Amino acid sequence: MRNTIIIAAAMLTASAIPALSEGDVVKGEAVFKRCSACHAIGEGAKNKVGPQLNGIIGRAAGGAPDYTYSNAMKKAGEDGQVWTAAELRDFLSSPKKKIPGNKMASAGVSKPEELDNLIAYIEGTALKPAE
């Protein structure tokens, strides 16, 4: 009985942990090179033309400290837009369609496999914000 309870507890805990994207982190790093002219991620990342991406998962749109966002991105955050892997995938596939009026210059990443890889890289590389 005790073993059954322990196994059930372990299964519940595992199911509560969000799964990382199914993409390839190494291939995602190659995709991110297109983004790196404007964005930084990982240790020492600072805002560039675009905001640094540490802590992006779970952060409200327009929520990176010390970055001047477009009114459209600020409004998206005020309206409850929070970045999840799915929301990032949707945004990165077509930034102007997802949040019209944002200032991101990229047309987006059109290939689903590249999006999976990019999201996996962001999830695996983006440091949590300092508390």
Side-chain angles (χ1 to χ4, degrees):
M1 176 70 170
R2 181 173 172 230
N3 287 343
T4 304
I5 292 171
I6 291 170
I7 292 169
M11 290 173 63
L12 284 172
T13 301
S15 67
I17 298 170
L20 293 177
S21 290
E22 295 181 23
D24 182 303
V25 174
V26 174
K27 290 179 181 177
E29 183 176 15
V31 177
F32 186 78
K33 288 183 183 192
R34 296 183 226 162
C35 312
S36 65
C38 298
H39 297 280
I41 193 169
E43 191 171 343
K46 301 212 180 309
N47 293 328
K48 294 172 143 184
V49 172
Q52 58 81 17
L53 300 177
N54 287 335
I56 186 87
I57 303 293
R59 183 169 74 201
D66 303 319
Y67 183 77
T68 305
Y69 285 95
S70 65
N71 288 335
M73 190 64 74
K74 286 189 265 186
K75 181 167 181 351
E78 291 164 2
D79 290 347
Q81 171 71 50
V82 174
W83 296 120
T84 63
E87 289 293 326
L88 276 174
R89 180 175 284 103
D90 194 26
F91 178 73
L92 294 172
S93 67
S94 183
K96 297 295 183 194
K97 182 178 177 186
K98 174 71 176 172
I99 301 178
N102 83 79
K103 63 184 184 179
M104 190 158 139
S106 172
V109 178
S110 60
K111 296 179 181 175
E113 183 177 339
E114 286 185 351
L115 272 172
D116 287 343
N117 295 337
L118 179 58
I119 298 300
Y121 177 74
I122 291 170
E123 287 178 319
T125 307
L127 301 174
K128 301 293 180 210
E131 294 184 20

